[in-house]
């Protein structure tokens, strides 16, 4: 269409269109560049969206697995020192049934293990927790390696400890003779690896199953696959740890791939080289299934967000700016064309044909603008959809990470309550027994570094042993907690103290878990309890920071359904404070455990994407209602401050009145509609072309502009602020500011105006004197009555204007 218009102008009105043709060519070229940029950036943004989602899932999958395995390294280190089991392995206590029961009891609490075995120095299995697959003896080299190692040994491969399984993840630790301190046997904890990977795949894999989630080894071979019929274990796959936006080939198909290794946890790096990976076929990667993210967003929020495009999507901002610049160029082409037409004689001959061309330019410009606006809306939709889905996924992963962590805390307190030294120390109190309890707690705390304090209290609630500062010893826990602990029915029960400031945690809010300690000979009798203080502040903060991933515009929180902050990445929201968030968002998330809710909204003076997910539990944790306090994760991504809502007023519409009278160039200056005789206007150019000069000379002078003359020579003219000249108030320079070149006799000046409006024809009947224009000093002595007098336009007297400039200063 642009080429047709150019050709039409060349054939029908070459003289009149001479000044317009270069601008039309530049506009057409600009649209072509803009089209290519839009297509390229739509693709880039959609690819970035896909890779971001894949990466978030891959990163959390490996991080959560490594956090889980860290707990296993602590478990095996502690259980290997269990006095009763060490005595059994050393042959000091031959009660095999009791040892078997103890292993089964441990597995009942830590359900992540599918087998636990005790072996002697020769590899004979003394007892195992699961007799369904009996193992009599092992010749696995890991036994000798474990006996030589001072700490745990991590093994992942096929082993005769787990017959019938292609591989097993085993954590082993040597057990020492209670009297001689020499190695007496080996403890093996067999992690239920397949079940855990299935749980991770179910929780984090794309529900539409368009992508496959994998666990890889150091050689990039698949250890576990969410869909082994698609990508089986053992095959080598391409990886993308750098997040490069490029398709990778595997099995004859192109994939987008995202790979993440683990940064470790509490000093534990995880199995060497293990990585999480997501792979999605290229032909499935861009199938939209999220609906229209903007469908229910109020228009004012959409406009407010768009006003911050430069910060959250520089590409979107640049494209919006480019479209605006092109649209402004078209409007200026038409305005200049109308001025040229007026100077050429109005509607007859070439001028009439030029007006037809200008009408075509206007129509085609509007269609082009509509097309590009639609495309930009699509890009905007893509950007926000990516942010919404990533926020939802992150909030879901945060509560899952919290639940998995608290699951371990619930297990730990219940198991440690069965420790023989603690049970004897409370049942038969003495100084030696109390010292022994303190040593046990200190050893446990050295292995489980996520605790700030472990403490034991007697039947009256008095703390008799504690790690950390010893000033807690002798203090008494509150009666409500003691009553709840003493009322626990059995060793599988625990009591989570309500999240609140705790004197045992320096007065800071904490998760504190309790279990009852029972008499060694009378299991029905509670002799006290054990309390474990999760190092809540740094641990929760670490979880939240892993969610926001160092993004300054993102904040994450753990809150109660009522909005009370448990922890936050924003220092301004301390634990115990109230998160100022729309209660309906929290209520919507609280109504559906595990489901994520997200919205675009205004929050604390910022445009934000808010996502919220309620903790749904892990394994049996949270399975019983009323035991654990409900927790929600909230993610807030900020895009910029809320605007005041004021938008530029639409351009005043001027109705065409007749075909007689002179043509007037109409424009805005100082926010007011003004007019100049079109015959006095040469053309309008963007204010950006003005060369600013230092102050001096006439107070309204703002700079100079080079104007090409015939033969290619340049002529400089002064540019003046018309608003300042007319009203005494300076005009504001914006992206819409224009400079009109006005001439009188042999002189030409530039007039800075706010914007251009149109070129219209009015006759003497439309003119009236201005009540503000009395006296020779007024630059607008007359008003134009447009739209039957409903709209008044100030007519600038060009001769008075030039006279004002001559008397004020020398105009160039």
């Amino acid at each position: 269409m642009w080429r047709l218009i150019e050709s039409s102008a060349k054939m029908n009105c070459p003289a009149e269109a001479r000044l317009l043709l270069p601008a039309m060519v530049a506009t057409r070229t600009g649209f072509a560049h803009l089209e290519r940029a839009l297509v390229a950036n739509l693709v880039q943004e959609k690819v970035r969206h896909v890779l971001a989602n894949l990466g978030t899932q891959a990163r959390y999958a490996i991080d959560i697995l490594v956090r889980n395995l860290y707990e296993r390294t602590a478990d095996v280190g502690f259980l290997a020192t269990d006095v009763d089991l060490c005595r059994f392995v050393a042959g000091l206590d031959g009660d095999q049934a009791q040892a078997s029961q103890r292993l089964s009891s441990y597995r009942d609490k830590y359900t992540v293990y599918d087998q636990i075995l005790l072996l002697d120095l020769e590899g004979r299995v003394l007892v195992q927790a699961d007799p369904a697959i009996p193992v009599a003896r092992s010749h696995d080299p890991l036994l000798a390696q474990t006996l030589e190692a001072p700490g745990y040994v991590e093994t992942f491969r096929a082993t005769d400890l787990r017959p019938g399984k292609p591989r097993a993840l085993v954590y082993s630790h040597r057990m020492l003779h209670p009297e001689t301190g020499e190695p007496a046997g080996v403890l093996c904890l067999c992690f239920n690896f397949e079940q855990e990977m299935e749980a991770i795949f179910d929780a984090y894999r794309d529900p539409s199953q368009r992508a496959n989630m994998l666990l890889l080894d150091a050689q990039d071979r698949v250890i576990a696959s969410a869909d082994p019929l698609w990508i089986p274990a053992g095959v080598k796959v391409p990886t993308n740890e750098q997040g490069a936006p490029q398709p990778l080939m595997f099995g004859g198909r192109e994939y987008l791939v995202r790979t993440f290794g683990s940064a470790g946890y509490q000093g534990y790096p995880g199995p060497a080289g293990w990585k999480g990976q997501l792979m999605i076929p290229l032909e499935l990667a861009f199938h939209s299934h999220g609906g229209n993210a903007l469908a229910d967003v109020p228009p004012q929020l959409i406009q407010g967000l768009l006003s911050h495009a430069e910060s959250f999507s520089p590409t979107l901002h640049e494209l919006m700016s480019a479209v605006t610049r092109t649209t402004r160029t078209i409007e200026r082409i038409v305005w200049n064309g109308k001025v040229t037409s007026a100077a050429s004689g109005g509607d007859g001959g070439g001028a009439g044909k030029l007006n037809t061309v200008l009408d075509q330019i206007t129509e085609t410009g509007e269609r082009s603008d509509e097309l590009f606006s639609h495309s930009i809306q699509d890009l905007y939709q893509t950007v926000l959809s990516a942010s919404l889905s990533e926020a939802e996924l992150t909030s879901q992963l945060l509560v899952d990470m919290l639940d998995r962590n608290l699951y371990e805390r619930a297990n730990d307190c219940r198991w440690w309550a069965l420790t023989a030294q603690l049970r004897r120390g409370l049942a038969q109190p003495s100084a030696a027994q109390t010292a022994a309890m303190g040593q046990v707690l200190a050893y446990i705390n050295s292995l489980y570094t996520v605790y700030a304090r472990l403490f034991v209290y007697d039947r009256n609630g008095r703390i008799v042993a504690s790690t950390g500062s010893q000033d807690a010893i002798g203090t008494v826990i509150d009666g409500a907690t003691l009553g709840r602990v003493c009322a626990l029915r059995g060793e599988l029960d625990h009591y989570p103290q309500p999240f609140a400031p705790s004197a045992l945690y320096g007065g800071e809010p904490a998760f504190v878990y309790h279990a009852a300690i029972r008499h060694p000979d009378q299991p029905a009798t509670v002799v006290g309890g054990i309390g474990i203080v999760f190092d809540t502040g740094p641990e929760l903060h670490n979880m939240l920071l892993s969610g926001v991933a160092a993004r300054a515009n993102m904040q994450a929180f753990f809150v109660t359904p009522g909005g009370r902050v448990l922890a936050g990445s924003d220092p301004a929201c301390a634990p115990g404070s109230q998160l100022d968030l729309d209660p309906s968002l929290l209520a919507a998330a609280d109504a559906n455990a595990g489901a994520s809710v997200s919205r675009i909204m205004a929050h604390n003076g910022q445009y934000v994407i808010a996502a919220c997910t309620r903790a749904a539990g892990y394994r049996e944790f949270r399975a019983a209602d009323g035991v654990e306090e409900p927790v929600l994760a909230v993610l807030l991504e900020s895009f910029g401050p809320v605007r005041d809502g004021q938008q530029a007023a639409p351009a005043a519409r001027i109705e065409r009145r007749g075909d007689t009278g002179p043509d007037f160039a109409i424009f805005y200056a100082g926010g007011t509609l003004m007019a100049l005789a079109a015959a006095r206007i040469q053309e309008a150019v963007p204010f950006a072309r003005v060369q600013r000069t230092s102050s001096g000379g006439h107070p309204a002078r703002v700079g100079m502009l080079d104007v090409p003359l015939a033969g290619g020579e340049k002529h400089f003219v002064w540019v003046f602020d018309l608003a300042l000249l007319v009203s005494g108030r300076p005009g504001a320079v914006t992206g819409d500011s224009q400079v009109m070149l006005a001439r009188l006799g042999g002189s030409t000046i530039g007039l800075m105006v706010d914007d251009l409006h149109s070129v219209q024809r009015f006759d003497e009947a439309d003119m009236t004197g201005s009540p503000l224009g009395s006296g020779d000093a007024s630059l607008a002595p007359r008003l134009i009555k447009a739209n039957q007098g409903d709209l008044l336009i100030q007519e600038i007297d060009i001769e008075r204007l030039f006279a004002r400039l001559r008397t004020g200063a020398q105009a160039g």
Side-chain angles (χ1 to χ4, degrees):
M1 284 300 301
W2 286 108
R3 288 185 184 277
L4 285 173
I5 294 171
E6 289 173 34
S7 300
S8 176
K10 290 177 182 178
M11 289 186 296
N12 295 302
C13 49
E16 292 80 359
R18 176 175 52 83
L19 295 177
L20 305 182
L21 286 173
M24 291 173 62
V25 172
T27 300
R28 172 172 52 81
T29 304
F31 271 131
H33 287 308
L34 192 55
E35 178 187 16
R36 288 192 293 271
L38 262 173
V39 172
N41 283 287
L42 278 168
V43 171
Q44 291 169 9
E45 198 61 47
K46 289 180 182 292
V47 170
R48 189 202 67 78
H49 172 24
V50 172
L51 288 176
N53 270 356
L54 297 180
T56 300
Q57 296 172 71
R59 178 164 58 89
Y60 272 87
I62 188 64
D63 282 353
I64 282 178
L65 177 62
V66 167
R67 283 170 175 261
N68 195 325
L69 299 186
Y70 157 77
E71 301 285 351
R72 312 295 64 90
T73 66
D75 287 351
V76 73
F78 173 68
L79 192 59
T81 64
D82 185 275
V83 172
D84 293 342
L85 295 180
C86 286
R87 290 181 59 82
F88 173 75
V89 170
L92 301 179
D93 184 348
D95 192 339
Q96 185 180 36
Q98 183 178 2
S100 177
Q101 175 58 39
R102 189 149 181 80
L103 294 186
S104 297
S105 177
Y106 188 86
R107 196 182 66 163
D108 289 343
K109 295 172 180 61
Y110 295 88
T111 57
V112 294
Y113 299 113
D114 57 4
Q115 181 62 291
I116 305 174
L117 306 101
L118 299 181
L119 301 94
D120 65 13
L121 298 176
E122 304 301 321
R124 289 186 292 269
V125 175
L126 302 177
V127 67
Q128 61 186 73
D130 182 9
I133 306 178
V135 179
R137 190 185 187 103
S138 173
H139 301 281
D140 197 304
L142 76 85
L143 299 178
Q145 181 185 357
T146 303
L147 290 170
E148 295 295 326
Y152 73 90
V153 173
E154 185 178 63
T155 306
F156 183 69
R157 53 173 168 76
T159 172
D160 58 7
L161 291 167
R162 298 296 285 143
K165 299 190 70 170
R167 72 269 173 97
L169 182 55
V170 180
Y171 289 86
S172 54
H173 201 292
R174 68 184 182 185
M175 304 179 72
L176 304 180
H177 194 291
E179 297 176 357
T180 66
E182 295 296 318
V186 174
L187 165 69
C188 293
L189 299 180
C190 300
F191 183 63
N192 197 336
F193 176 75
E194 288 77 13
Q195 186 183 72
E196 175 62 14
M197 291 311 303
E198 183 178 346
I200 290 176
F201 291 152
D202 287 345
Y204 305 132
R205 187 188 177 191
D206 174 16
S208 67
Q209 300 186 0
R210 297 175 302 148
N212 200 359
M213 179 176 279
L214 308 170
L215 178 67
L216 309 181
D217 64 14
Q219 289 73 46
D220 300 335
R221 295 191 178 277
V222 177
I223 300 172
S225 171
D227 190 341
L229 296 179
W230 181 357
I231 302 178
V235 302
K236 188 171 184 177
V237 294
T239 60
N240 183 15
E241 293 191 62
Q242 302 305 316
Q246 62 185 30
L248 299 175
M249 184 67 71
F250 173 73
R253 298 175 81 181
E254 286 187 309
Y255 288 82
L256 287 178
V257 178
R258 198 68 177 93
T259 315
F260 269 92
S262 173
Y265 180 63
Q266 296 285 332
Y268 168 68
W274 281 20
K275 300 176 285 287
Q277 176 158 304
L278 269 290
M279 298 177 65
I280 187 167
L282 200 61
E283 69 271 19
L284 301 178
F286 307 104
H287 286 193
S288 176
H289 60 281
N292 185 354
L294 308 181
D296 299 323
V297 182
Q300 64 270 24
L301 280 180
I302 293 178
Q303 292 303 317
L305 277 171
L306 271 175
S307 70
H308 293 290
E310 185 174 12
S311 61
F312 72 83
S313 178
T315 295
L316 176 61
H317 172 73
E318 178 54 35
L319 289 171
M320 289 167 55
S321 300
V323 170
T324 300
R325 289 193 299 269
T326 305
T327 300
R328 305 299 293 155
T329 298
I330 294 172
E331 292 172 350
R332 189 169 53 253
I333 288 173
V334 173
W335 194 89
N336 283 334
K338 295 288 186 180
V339 167
T340 301
S341 174
S344 301
D347 297 331
K353 295 175 181 178
L354 177 59
N355 282 329
T356 301
V357 171
L358 295 174
D359 290 340
Q360 291 176 336
I361 292 175
T362 299
E363 180 184 350
T364 306
E366 291 173 350
R367 292 169 60 188
S368 299
D369 184 61
E370 181 181 359
L371 174 63
F372 280 100
S373 296
H374 178 78
S375 298
I376 286 177
Q377 188 77 359
D378 191 14
L379 178 57
Y380 186 41
Q381 169 80 25
T382 299
V383 171
L384 291 182
S385 293
S387 297
L388 282 166
S389 60
E390 189 173 355
E392 286 187 8
L393 179 60
T394 301
S395 67
Q396 176 190 349
L397 295 170
L398 285 174
V399 288
D400 188 46
M401 187 180 294
L402 177 67
D403 273 359
R404 286 167 171 268
N405 210 308
L406 297 183
Y407 161 83
E408 301 290 347
R409 313 294 67 90
N411 291 342
D412 289 346
C413 71
R414 293 182 299 162
W415 177 252
W416 298 336
L418 300 181
T419 303
Q421 295 96 317
L422 302 183
R423 298 176 73 173
R424 285 197 300 269
L426 290 180
Q428 305 163 4
S430 68
Q433 294 283 20
T434 299
M437 287 194 294
Q439 292 173 356
V440 169
L441 294 181
Y443 176 67
I444 296 173
N445 214 162
S446 71
L447 294 174
Y448 295 83
T449 54
V450 297
Y451 292 109
R453 183 192 298 272
L454 310 179
F455 59 97
V456 169
Y457 46 92
D458 61 21
R459 187 65 176 77
N460 297 317
R462 186 175 64 89
I463 296 176
V464 297
S466 172
T467 62
S469 62
Q470 296 301 294
D471 55 358
I473 295 178
T475 61
V476 179
I477 68 171
D478 66 275
T481 297
L482 180 64
R484 293 293 296 271
V485 172
C486 292
L488 293 175
R489 291 174 296 179
E491 64 181 42
L492 292 180
D493 297 315
H494 71 283
Y495 172 61
Q497 203 169 331
F499 186 88
S502 171
L504 297 172
Y505 193 53
E508 296 296 320
F511 283 110
V512 183
Y513 280 76
H514 296 260
I517 297 177
R518 301 175 185 277
H519 196 287
D521 301 321
Q522 304 169 28
T525 302
V526 173
V527 292
I530 181 172
I532 59 177
V533 182
F534 185 48
D535 197 4
T536 307
E539 288 300 315
L540 294 191
H541 193 64
N542 175 274
M543 293 182 206
L544 295 172
L545 289 183
S546 71
V548 302
R551 286 170 286 190
N553 64 328
M554 188 174 286
Q555 299 292 343
F557 306 87
F558 289 124
V559 302
T560 66
R564 182 168 57 93
V565 175
L566 307 182
S569 62
D570 182 0
C573 294
S577 64
Q578 189 72 20
L579 183 63
D580 181 19
L581 193 66
D582 184 355
S584 66
L585 179 70
L586 300 178
D590 188 41
N592 300 283
S596 297
V597 179
S598 63
R599 292 180 189 169
I600 297 172
M601 59 195 299
H603 169 72
N604 282 350
Q606 293 275 321
Y607 295 111
V608 303
I609 279 179
C612 186
T613 304
R614 177 180 169 175
Y618 172 65
R619 294 181 178 267
E620 66 277 8
F621 184 75
R622 290 195 195 277
D625 292 336
V627 177
E628 302 289 334
E629 285 187 287
V631 177
L632 289 77
V634 175
L635 199 79
L636 299 175
E637 182 178 4
S638 301
F639 292 90
V642 173
R643 305 298 191 189
D644 59 11
Q646 295 179 353
Q647 300 182 11
R653 181 176 180 84
I654 300 177
E655 300 173 2
R656 185 182 177 97
R657 187 173 185 276
D659 296 325
T660 61
D663 290 292
F664 289 88
I666 302 175
F667 50 88
Y668 288 96
T672 303
L673 266 182
M674 298 183 185
L676 258 172
R680 298 300 186 183
I681 303 297
Q682 179 177 319
E683 67 173 323
V685 298
F687 182 81
R689 286 178 46 183
V690 173
Q691 300 177 35
R692 307 301 288 267
T693 58
S694 59
S695 59
H698 197 286
R701 195 164 65 193
V702 294
M704 62 174 56
L705 183 69
D706 64 295
V707 180
L709 300 175
E713 297 182 8
K714 288 186 177 181
H715 172 63
F716 287 93
V717 300
W718 290 114
V719 178
F720 299 90
D721 182 351
L722 183 58
L724 181 59
L725 290 169
V726 174
S727 67
R729 296 185 300 273
V733 177
T734 69
D736 293 330
S737 297
Q738 309 285 330
V739 175
M740 300 187 308
L741 295 174
R743 55 180 178 257
L744 181 65
S747 300
T748 302
I749 60 171
L751 297 174
M752 184 189 84
V753 299
D754 300 344
D755 202 355
L756 306 176
H757 186 281
S758 60
V759 178
Q760 301 284 346
R761 182 169 295 174
F762 298 98
D763 58 28
E764 282 299 319
D766 299 315
M767 305 299 176
T768 186
S770 172
L772 302 177
S774 58
D776 295 337
S778 173
L779 297 183
R782 293 201 304 176
L783 297 175
I784 300 173
K785 298 182 295 181
N787 300 351
Q788 289 78 46
D790 292 335
L791 178 65
L792 299 178
I793 305 170
Q794 298 184 49
E795 181 197 357
I796 303 300
D797 188 314
I798 190 71
E799 294 182 352
R800 291 189 181 189
L801 176 62
F802 269 77
R804 170 82 64 83
L805 293 175
R806 290 191 189 99
T807 57
Q810 180 66 37

